[in-house]
Every structure is written in C-alpha cells, then in structure tokens.
Amino acid sequence: MLRNKRSEALIAAVLVAPFVAIYGLVFIYPLTRLFLTSFTDAPLIGSGAYVGFDNYARLWGERRFDTALWNTAYFVLLTVVPGTFTAFAIALGINRLAGRIQAFVLALFFLPYILPVSVVYLIWDWTLNFQFGIAMYLFDMVGISRVPVFKSTGWFMPAVAFITIWWTAGFSILLFLAGLRSIPAEIYEAAALDNAGRWATFRQVTWPLMWPITALVLTIQLILQLKIFDQVYLFSTGGRPNDNLVLVYYVFQRAFQSDQGGRAAAAAVVLFVIVIVVSVINFQLTRLSKGGAR
Amino acid sequence: MFRMLKLAKCIVVATALCGSAAHAQETVAWWDFLSGGDGVRMKQMIADFNKAHEGKIKIEATTLEWGTPFYSKVQTAASVGEAPDIMTYHASRIPLAVKQGILQEITADDWSKMGLAKDAYAETTWDAVTIDGKQYAVPFDTHPIVLYYNKDILAKAGLLTEDGKPKGLDSRENFEATLQGLKKAGVKFPLGSVTADGNFMFRTIYSLMGQQDGELLTDGEFLAGDNAQKLQNALALLQGWTKEDLQSTYTDYPATVALFTSGEAAMMINGVWEVPTMVDLHKQGKLFEWGAVELPVLFKHASTYADSHTFAIPANKGKDMTADKRAAVLEVISWLSKNSLYWASAGHIPAYGPVTQSAEYKAMQPNATYSPLTANMIFDPKTPLAGVAGPIFDVMSNYFVPTLNNEMDPAKAVEEIKTELNDL
C-alpha cells in the first residue's frame, strides 16, 4: 500500500506537539535557567552577576554540603536495598495467601502508601515523641529509658529510613505481586516434578524470573530516595536540622532561608548530575548481573 | 419571549446593583501567620473591623504557616505581583525584606493619614521598623517571653512570696534554690523547658546574653571579644539545669505547654502569646491558679528578648496600588492600632502608646504584672541575616538542642556557632 509519508509525519508531529511543548516549558526551560543561575550570585528572586564556577567551588569542602551529601548517601543505603527486599519478602508472603484474606492483608500493607507525608509525620510523632509518645509509655513499663528518636543524630536517619520503608513499601509490593503472578504455574509444576525443594525453586526459578522487577524497583527506589526531603524536613523541625541535612534540604536552606539562589542552583545541579550518574550505573549493573544470574 | 425579556431585565438590574456595591466597597487582601490563641483574637478584631466599616472596606483574611513558609511565600508572591494588600510581619525580618525590596515605605504622608506618629511608640520599637531613616512597617505589638508559674504548686512548697510571685527572681543562686525546692517537694519538672526546639530557645538564650550585655553582632563580626564567653555562660547555665534534673529534656513546643498546663511542670518560660491558652483554660475551670512575670535575673540585670508584630504593605511588582486601596489599607492599620486594647488579651503588649497608657490596659491581668519588662527589652541585631527563621536564628538554634540536653559541651557549641555564623 502506498503511504503518504508527509501527512503521516504531520499527524505524528501534531500528536506529539502538546507533550513536547509542555515538556519544554516545565522541564527544559527551567533546567536551562537552573544551569544559568548556578553561574551567578542571584538571590532567590531576580538575577545576579556572572561569577563563573565560584558557587561550585564553594560547595567543595563546605561543611553543611558535606553533611548533606553523606546523609543522603547514608539514607539511600538504609532504604533502597532493605526497602526493596522487605517489599519482596512481604510480596512472597502475600502471594501464598488466597482470596479475601489476601486482599485484606495486601490492603493493610498498601494503606500507609496513600497517606500524605504530613499525616505520616503526625502518626510517628505521636508514637515516638519523647514526652508524650505512646511508645515511650511502653518503654517506661518495661523499664527501658526513653529515647529521643528524632532529636539525636544517631537515631534520626535510621528512624526516618524505617518510616519511609513502612510508608512506601506498598507500591513496591504491588509491583512484586504482579511479577509473581505472571510466572506461569507450569514452571513450578515442572520444578516440583524434578523434586526441587522450596529453596531450590526460589533460587533457580522465582529469583531469576523476578530479577527484571527487582531491578525496576531498585531503580525507582534509588531515584526516589536520592531526592528525600519532606520527611527529613518535618521530623527535624525545631531540633537540629543542620545535622540532619540532605541534599534537597540543603538546596531549600540556601534558596529560601539564606536567599542565595545562585548557590542553591549549583547544589541542585550537583544533585541532578548525581541522580543521573547513579541511576545509569545502577541500571547498567542490574542489566549485567541479570546475565550472570542465568 | 416576553419572559426572556423580563429575565434579561432582572439580570441587568442585578448586575448594576452588584456593580455599584462593589464600587463603593474596597476589599483588602490580608495575610497573617497568627494561628494560635492570638489568631482567634485577630479574627475577632477583623470581624469587628468589617462590621464597623460595612459597605466601605472589607478585609479578606488568610492565615498561613508561621516561619520560613510564610516568608518564602511573601517573597515569591511579591515578585510576581500576587502578594496581599497588607500582611503581618516580624520587625526582626524587616532588614532582609528591605534588602529584597519587597516592602513599600510607609511615608510621612501615610503616617499623618493614619493619625499615628513616632511619639506614640517606644524608642526600640520604632527603631526596629526604621531602616536608613525610613519606616517600612507599622508596629502593632511587642511580644517578649515571660516566666509562667503554677501558684498552687509553689504555694504548697512554700516558694511563693507575699505578693504571689515565685521566690528567688533576683539572682541565679536564689532562683536555683527555688527550682531545687520544687524538686524536693516532689515536682517532676520544676521547669518545663522547650529543650527539643532550638528555634524557641533562641529567645531565652538571647535574653540571658542580654542580661550580661552580650551582643551577637559587633561591627559586622559575630560574637566578637567576650561575647562568645557570654553565650557560653548562658548555655552552661541552662545545661546545668538539665544535669541537675531541674528542667524537662527533649521537650518540643506543644509538649512543654502540655507539661505546664497538666501540672507536671511547675514553671515554664514561654512567649506572652500563650496567655490566651491559660486564660481560656482557667475560665473553663481546667487550670490551676497561675501567674506570669518577667524572666528572673540570672546574671547582671534584667533583660528580655522581644520581637514586634508589625503591619507591612508588600511592594507588588508591576502592580501599583490604587489610591483608594491604599487609603483603605491605611484605615485598616490605623483602626486596628487604635483598637489594640483587645489585642492585649492575646498576651501581646500593644505598641501604640495611648493604648498601653490607658487605665483599662493598666488593670489587665496578667499583662500588668509583666508590662514593666518593656523597659528591659532587647531586639534582634539589625541585619538582613537576623530575624525569626532567618540565617542567624537557624545556625544558633541548631546547636541549642544538643547542648541543652547535655550531649555537647557549651564551649564546643559556641565555637561551632561562631565558625558557622562568620561563614554566612
């Protein structure tokens, strides 16, 4: 059949145009401005003089930025892999249930995911508040001394990581469940005929077949957790926020508290680059290791 | 057809009526950050204003989140011409706002139109809104911190003087003796202290520096000379109370108020803005007898940190205010200032002199008990880095939590604060 290439291209362009226009407006344009701003000494609003790489040079070795960088890395370490495998384990458990019970248990795990972050904050503050938290009364009862969870640096990141996993696991569980359901029953039947034990079945069948899903969840989690901000901001209110800084928080402080738009932009560019580099590396690694697992 | 005509006529008449009413009435968009007991009173004042100006001026008020969120919003809104016509503003934040160019000057003409003038205000308050000889806001109140105390507990422990004030307000030794006495009498927390919130503690610690004539900023240098030592003294004093179990640890702001009102803490240092909480609870029969006095003298002389709520007019970019609108805004400020006696029931000390000099104000309790402290008030240093939720506030408060809870040595904290402040 003869096709009119030109009119097809036109239709394609018309269909794609709205997306491209919006993408340009809310992503490409701000991103360009971000890069340009990072080379100036602009305040939060308005423009500033060109200062070259000064803003970047000042990030290097700056104490607060270092804190933010390390805390972000620490947080990623605490959440990404443990969070993914917690979700996997829970999904395996739920997969063994059936019917209404399965739906009920799944709902229990998924419910926290629909809560807004401020509600999550309030729930956990009610639970772990040093003076009035419910958990503290339990501590008193069994004779453990109270722990100022969100006010001491040692406890802060692990606690926020735990809460984040509790909060966001629901979505990953759904992805894993979908994956588990798509594994054909015949494969398990064949494995059973071969007298494969539970562990061998998991190791040889479930694990490799689930690897693409695991890699996907890992990547999503990684990108998400690198951008951590809201929980840290809320839980450190009034306490010692500068000890709990993460990269986005650092950008927020520079821009909104110190009125230094240029320096904030430079930090944001650094975070942007980190997210790209880390997720590309992560993707390549998971792709390669997939081959190895076979 | 006839019906349609009738309907159209009705619509025309209705719009005409509507239009003329809108023309006569000026709407003033208002933003504030008053969400506590004082917010309730401010809403009442706005309602009273609207009633008194029915058909002429109407305030449309919005309350926003206190602190960084409020000030970020004002800044971004003003830069795109979407800020309100009038807003509440902390005097301590004015230097930064002027630097950013987001406030309109209050001109001599404005002052005369409002019928307000310099001589109606305390020197320190007037100075706080003045930058380079120009005023950028109209002070509405001053709000210092005070010492709240539970009369019942103190009386039982024999620690109340004859005029119903806590014993030992005159020196560090005597005040600590009072705290120890409370401890011995079996009180769990002699002092309820906001030890988990450095933002709040800035006020207490800055007051204690003021009691030693300490300064944060001297000729552009932070904590110059022995000022660092004075900050360290203040921190060491408060840390001492933690070590001796005289104050609550890791307590955030709401928990502190709860510890006090539930009677677990016998005393509490807090802002005058908690007065309405106490008044209301007491009225409902849910609170013991209580009082509020000026902070005890723990160092050389009395001194209390204060800030001032002011009214400011945002400089909306690319959007000039009409003369009518400006007149309406000025009327709002003028009316509220002259009727600020009611605002005193929110605990704050009205900034407008004629109100505080009135017999009605002088009879108000507990305001009258702590009012004399206005003679000993100190404000933030005047720099764009100062003010609530500003950079200085931020740096310092961060080190207060570990120090006050005995995790960090005061000397170490001061050293860190000094480094970070001079790094700003």
Side-chain angles (χ1 to χ4, degrees):
Chain A
M1 202 172 95
L2 275 174
R3 284 168 24 163
N4 186 339
K5 284 261 170 69
R6 266 184 61 193
S7 84
E8 277 201 359
L10 192 70
I11 291 170
V14 167
L15 290 175
V16 171
F19 177 80
V20 172
I22 293 170
Y23 190 78
L25 187 72
V26 303
F27 186 72
I28 303 292
Y29 172 70
L31 195 67
T32 323
R33 287 299 299 265
L34 175 75
F35 277 104
L36 293 177
T37 310
S38 73
F39 294 108
T40 67
D41 63 353
L44 175 59
I45 305 291
S47 50
Y50 179 77
V51 293
F53 281 91
D54 266 17
N55 291 331
Y56 291 95
R58 287 175 81 171
L59 286 179
W60 197 252
E62 197 209 335
R63 269 200 334 182
R64 279 205 206 177
F65 185 74
D66 284 352
T67 314
L69 202 63
W70 286 119
N71 274 345
T72 309
Y74 183 37
F75 186 78
V76 164
L77 196 75
L78 287 172
T79 49
V80 175
V81 175
T84 305
F85 287 106
T86 308
F88 195 9
I90 294 172
L92 283 171
I94 292 177
N95 199 38
R96 295 192 155 264
L97 301 170
R100 285 203 180 152
I101 297 177
Q102 189 189 41
F104 178 71
V105 175
L106 179 61
L108 284 187
F109 281 105
F110 193 72
L111 274 177
Y113 185 74
I114 63 174
L115 297 176
V117 68
S118 44
V119 177
V120 171
Y121 160 67
L122 281 177
I123 291 174
W124 286 94
D125 189 49
W126 283 335
T127 315
L128 297 173
N129 185 289
F130 187 72
Q131 292 295 343
F132 292 102
I134 301 160
M136 296 302 152
Y137 289 102
L138 293 177
F139 280 28
D140 290 351
M141 254 196 270
V142 291
I144 311 172
S145 52
R146 298 184 169 202
V147 182
V149 180
F150 300 115
K151 305 297 170 195
S152 55
T153 19
W155 283 96
F156 190 87
M157 280 296 156
V160 174
F162 174 80
I163 291 166
T164 306
I165 292 174
W166 170 83
W167 181 34
T168 57
F171 186 68
S172 312
I173 293 173
L174 277 192
L175 290 176
F176 279 120
L177 265 184
L180 287 171
R181 284 175 184 167
S182 69
I183 299 177
E186 300 88 62
I187 298 183
Y188 285 110
E189 273 171 30
L193 286 174
D194 288 342
N195 266 342
R198 251 189 208 179
W199 173 246
T201 314
F202 176 76
R203 185 75 193 80
Q204 306 296 337
V205 180
T206 315
W207 178 254
L209 286 173
M210 286 296 283
W211 184 249
I213 305 280
T214 315
L216 173 73
V217 172
L218 277 174
T219 312
I220 292 176
Q221 286 287 322
L222 184 70
I223 295 172
L224 203 67
Q225 309 307 359
L226 277 171
K227 299 189 293 180
I228 166 89
F229 170 68
D230 353 16
Q231 301 97 300
V232 172
Y233 176 77
L234 286 169
F235 280 109
S236 58
T237 310
R240 39 207 301 192
N242 295 354
D243 293 346
N244 307 330
L245 280 182
V246 285
L247 284 171
V248 182
Y249 201 158
Y250 178 89
V251 174
F252 171 81
Q253 270 199 345
R254 280 276 167 238
F256 292 96
Q257 253 163 292
S258 312
D259 196 30
Q260 295 163 326
R263 294 178 68 179
V269 168
V270 170
L271 175 63
F272 182 67
V273 172
I274 290 176
V275 170
I276 290 179
V277 170
V278 173
S279 40
V280 167
I281 291 176
N282 175 65
F283 183 73
Q284 294 298 343
L285 280 182
T286 46
R287 207 175 56 122
L288 289 176
S289 61
K290 179 190 169 192
R294 273 186 184 154
Chain B
M1 188 63 209
F2 186 65
R3 251 204 196 154
M4 286 281 274
L5 257 175
K6 215 172 171 185
L7 188 70
K9 238 186 208 167
C10 277
I11 291 170
V12 169
V13 172
T15 25
L17 276 175
C18 230
S20 66
H23 182 74
Q25 181 174 305
E26 197 67 53
T27 313
V28 174
W30 158 300
W31 283 2
D32 69 36
F33 44 71
L34 307 157
S35 55
D38 52 2
V40 179
R41 275 144 182 93
M42 183 55 94
K43 284 187 182 68
Q44 182 61 46
M45 290 188 82
I46 292 172
D48 290 347
F49 175 91
N50 284 341
K51 213 169 164 196
H53 296 79
E54 212 167 345
K56 284 179 230 137
I57 307 171
K58 187 169 182 291
I59 300 176
E60 280 189 351
T62 311
T63 301
L64 300 156
E65 181 81 18
W66 187 95
T68 315
F70 180 84
Y71 286 113
S72 308
K73 193 170 168 76
V74 167
Q75 201 189 342
T76 46
S79 67
V80 292
E82 291 296 329
D85 303 316
I86 181 178
M87 60 193 173
T88 53
Y89 221 87
H90 285 100
S92 59
R93 291 276 306 205
I94 290 177
L96 176 60
V98 171
K99 183 186 154 203
Q100 292 167 337
I102 55 175
L103 295 186
Q104 290 190 37
E105 190 196 334
I106 311 284
T107 61
D109 186 39
D110 293 335
W111 287 105
S112 70
K113 271 185 192 154
M114 287 187 285
L116 305 173
K118 185 180 178 178
D119 55 19
Y121 296 94
E123 188 79 34
T124 36
T125 321
W126 182 265
D127 181 57
V129 298
T130 308
I131 306 286
D132 298 331
K134 293 175 181 171
Q135 284 74 48
Y136 287 91
V138 180
F140 187 52
D141 69 26
T142 34
H143 48 284
I145 50 172
V146 289
L147 177 73
Y148 290 85
Y149 61 100
N150 184 325
K151 281 188 184 169
D152 296 353
I153 295 183
L154 282 155
K156 225 163 92 192
L159 293 166
L160 219 52
T161 60
E162 273 157 31
D163 56 352
K165 287 181 182 176
K167 279 186 182 169
L169 293 175
D170 55 338
S171 77
R172 177 176 176 173
E173 288 73 31
N174 293 342
F175 188 70
E176 286 181 345
T178 302
L179 292 176
Q180 295 286 5
L182 286 165
K183 189 86 207 164
K184 275 197 204 99
V187 176
K188 197 169 173 197
F189 302 113
L191 182 70
S193 203
V194 198
T195 37
D197 193 334
N199 292 339
F200 178 83
M201 289 311 281
F202 179 84
R203 303 163 212 270
T204 312
I205 290 161
Y206 194 57
S207 299
L208 295 184
M209 279 187 77
Q211 293 197 354
Q212 314 166 67
D213 298 307
E215 278 180 333
L216 268 182
L217 191 62
T218 323
D219 302 323
E221 197 195 337
F222 284 103
L223 296 171
D226 64 346
N227 286 315
Q229 183 60 43
K230 287 170 179 166
L231 173 61
Q232 192 182 326
N233 295 342
L235 289 172
L237 173 95
L238 292 171
Q239 193 183 60
W241 293 356
T242 297
K243 283 183 184 163
E244 291 175 46
D245 232 0
L246 297 177
Q247 68 183 350
S248 62
T249 49
Y250 296 111
T251 317
D252 56 23
Y253 187 92
T256 312
V257 178
L259 282 183
F260 180 72
T261 54
S262 67
E264 272 196 72
M267 295 196 265
M268 163 175 84
I269 292 172
N270 207 328
V272 290
W273 53 89
E274 287 297 345
V275 164
T277 314
M278 308 301 160
V279 171
D280 295 351
L281 279 176
H282 191 261
K283 222 184 268 167
Q284 296 159 20
K286 287 179 191 158
L287 200 72
F288 40 80
E289 291 302 314
W290 62 284
V293 287
E294 182 171 359
L295 294 190
V297 179
L298 298 167
F299 290 100
K300 275 195 256 162
H301 58 78
S303 170
T304 306
Y305 167 82
D307 201 342
S308 169
H309 289 141
T310 68
F311 290 120
I313 307 175
N316 263 325
K317 205 173 172 187
K319 207 169 146 189
D320 283 331
M321 206 175 238
T322 62
D324 282 352
K325 178 82 94 188
R326 194 168 179 100
V329 168
L330 294 176
E331 170 60 15
V332 170
I333 300 177
S334 164
W335 192 91
L336 286 173
S337 298
K338 287 171 184 163
N339 291 281
S340 55
L341 183 66
Y342 181 70
W343 187 237
S345 73
H348 305 290
I349 302 171
Y352 185 57
V355 168
T356 44
Q357 281 143 26
S358 68
E360 290 107 307
Y361 180 78
K362 284 178 178 159
M364 274 177 91
Q365 282 300 341
N367 305 52
T369 325
Y370 58 71
S371 285
L373 70 82
T374 40
N376 311 317
M377 282 190 309
I378 45 166
F379 280 72
D380 283 83
K382 243 161 101 177
T383 147
L385 296 171
V388 291
I392 294 181
F393 191 83
D394 177 52
V395 164
M396 294 187 70
S397 59
N398 196 53
Y399 290 98
F400 292 163
V401 175
T403 316
L404 298 179
N405 294 297
N406 203 15
E407 279 181 48
M408 190 185 255
D409 184 46
K412 168 95 177 136
V414 171
E415 191 188 306
E416 300 270 335
I417 289 173
K418 201 174 168 181
T419 318
E420 277 208 44
L421 282 180
N422 285 311
D423 201 29
L424 284 174

